[in-house]
Amino acid sequence: MRVALAIVVVLACATFASAGDNYALIVSGASGGDAYAQKYEKWRTSFVETLRDTFGYPDDHIVVLAEKESGTTARATRENVQRVLGDLRKRLGNDDQLLVLLIGHGTSVDGPTGEDAKFNLVGPDLRASEWDELLKPIVAKLVFVDTTGASFAFLKRLAGRGRIVLTATDSAAQQFETVFPDFFLKAFADPAADTDKNGRVSIWEAFVFASGAVRQWFEQHGQLATERPLLDDTGAGTGREAQNPGTDGASARTTYLQPDAAAATGDVALAALLKRRSDLESELEMVKARKSALPGEQYEAELERILVELAKVSRQIRAKS
């Protein structure tokens, strides 16, 4: 009860947060054994440190649910997930961003068809379809990462407009322990993942980094790669692997967990310019993704329009920074 109250207080403090804030809900569920519990705790605590100490997330912007209650960390139960998402629904605005990260075990509930799956919580679980219902009322941009086995059903269920969904697997049949979360979480602290060298690791860059590391892990262990991470940001619900062609990835390329340093100045005009730049960068990636479907002249015209506007906004940002 004490921890549940702490969560409510923490979220209540976020009510007056400025537009464009980043939030994170990290849930590590039932471990199924000491070895798993230790591994999940290591991942969880390390990532929270990255969000708080490196990316500057205030404590009241990070909510953690775990197998065992500790301090302000409540147990990862169905009821606590429902309560936390209910509070976030009331407090997050259109310009905010919410990361939901699931660490633990997952199981398919519809056999090989993969129509639905569960994330294993402490006590009764929540199906992917139930997570979707809880998240639908949240208007903030959503980055949902299910790092478990059988996670593919979460991609199919949760994909939608304004959402970036990542799963560790591309099939409901893959229900074994995954290695994807280890590499994905490490990406945000590894300079090698920042391939465009802009000082921040995008969701797409972290996905590519982790996907390559997963393939290498299976090669080094002499095993057939049964774990194939997917990313969907078009809402189609099919996703794509990092090395394969596809339209997914345009939004993920311009989405970051790490806030832009200039946004911390409190300058409202600068914040508006940064948002405009982000929107233009997303639009640019979407046009690039549609290149093969557009007539040559239309593609070039769209590209030029966005690049000219992007150059203007970038000059204004530099003048204010």
Side-chain angles (χ1 to χ4, degrees):
M1 189 65 169
R2 176 177 58 84
V3 178
L5 180 62
I7 290 177
V8 174
V9 172
V10 162
L11 290 171
C13 293
T15 304
F16 303 104
S18 60
D21 283 353
N22 288 28
Y23 295 80
L25 168 60
I26 302 166
V27 186
S28 58
S31 63
D34 289 341
Y36 293 129
Q38 292 174 16
K39 179 168 61 175
Y40 298 160
E41 182 179 7
K42 179 181 177 182
W43 289 342
R44 185 181 69 248
T45 56
S46 176
F47 188 60
V48 168
E49 287 176 1
T50 297
L51 293 179
R52 185 184 61 233
D53 301 337
T54 305
F55 293 172
Y57 281 49
D59 288 337
D60 61 7
H61 285 45
I62 305 172
V63 179
V64 181
L65 301 178
E67 185 173 31
K68 294 182 179 180
E69 181 178 318
S70 175
T72 58
T73 298
R75 297 184 79 198
T77 65
R78 179 187 182 95
E79 293 74 17
N80 281 338
V81 171
Q82 291 170 331
R83 180 169 53 252
V84 168
L85 290 177
D87 286 325
L88 287 169
R89 179 174 67 241
K90 299 172 186 175
R91 292 169 172 83
L92 270 62
N94 289 302
D95 293 331
D96 294 322
Q97 178 176 292
L98 172 63
L99 165 71
V100 177
L101 172 69
L102 305 185
I103 300 172
H105 300 291
T107 55
S108 173
V109 295
D110 291 313
T113 61
E115 291 302 317
D116 211 346
K118 295 188 296 185
F119 173 70
N120 297 160
L121 294 165
V122 179
D125 301 324
L126 281 169
R127 291 181 176 226
S129 52
E130 293 175 304
W131 280 92
D132 184 41
E133 288 301 316
L134 290 169
L135 290 163
K136 273 182 180 178
I138 294 178
V139 297
K141 183 173 185 177
L142 176 67
V143 179
F144 190 96
V145 185
D146 185 349
T147 68
T148 73
S151 52
F152 176 61
F154 277 78
L155 183 137
K156 295 174 67 176
R157 290 281 184 173
L158 271 69
R161 185 175 181 180
R163 293 180 171 183
I164 301 173
V165 183
L166 282 74
T167 58
T169 69
D170 68 344
S171 168
Q174 206 301 72
Q175 301 189 48
F176 306 106
E177 181 74 357
T178 57
V179 298
F180 173 75
D182 187 25
F183 301 120
F184 179 75
L185 299 179
K186 285 179 178 176
F188 295 99
D190 192 331
D194 179 19
T195 53
D196 64 6
K197 304 306 177 187
N198 71 345
R200 295 192 295 169
V201 176
S202 69
I203 297 298
W204 175 258
E205 287 173 322
F207 172 66
V208 171
F209 178 89
S211 298
V214 167
R215 290 195 301 274
Q216 187 177 37
W217 187 92
F218 278 96
E219 290 172 0
Q220 291 174 343
H221 287 76
Q223 299 178 19
L224 182 66
T226 57
E227 184 180 329
R228 297 182 178 87
L230 293 179
L231 181 147
D232 186 296
D233 63 3
T234 63
T238 54
R240 64 176 281 196
E241 290 184 66
Q243 75 277 15
N244 292 344
T247 55
D248 288 291
S251 178
R253 284 185 172 90
T254 58
T255 300
Y256 301 87
L257 299 184
Q258 181 178 5
D260 192 308
T265 62
D267 186 323
V268 176
L270 178 58
L273 287 170
L274 289 170
K275 185 180 185 304
R276 177 58 179 158
R277 183 178 67 180
S278 178
D279 291 342
L280 286 168
E281 288 172 342
S282 296
E283 188 178 356
L284 178 62
E285 292 298 335
M286 290 176 185
V287 169
K288 288 179 179 178
R290 295 175 54 232
K291 181 178 181 179
S292 61
L294 294 174
E297 290 185 1
Q298 182 181 347
Y299 174 74
E300 293 296 335
E302 284 291 299
L303 209 62
E304 182 178 3
R305 176 186 64 81
I306 297 170
L307 289 172
V308 168
E309 181 66 17
L310 193 54
K312 291 179 180 177
V313 172
S314 296
R315 281 199 299 271
Q316 290 175 298
I317 291 173
R318 286 196 296 272
K320 283 183 166 290
S321 300

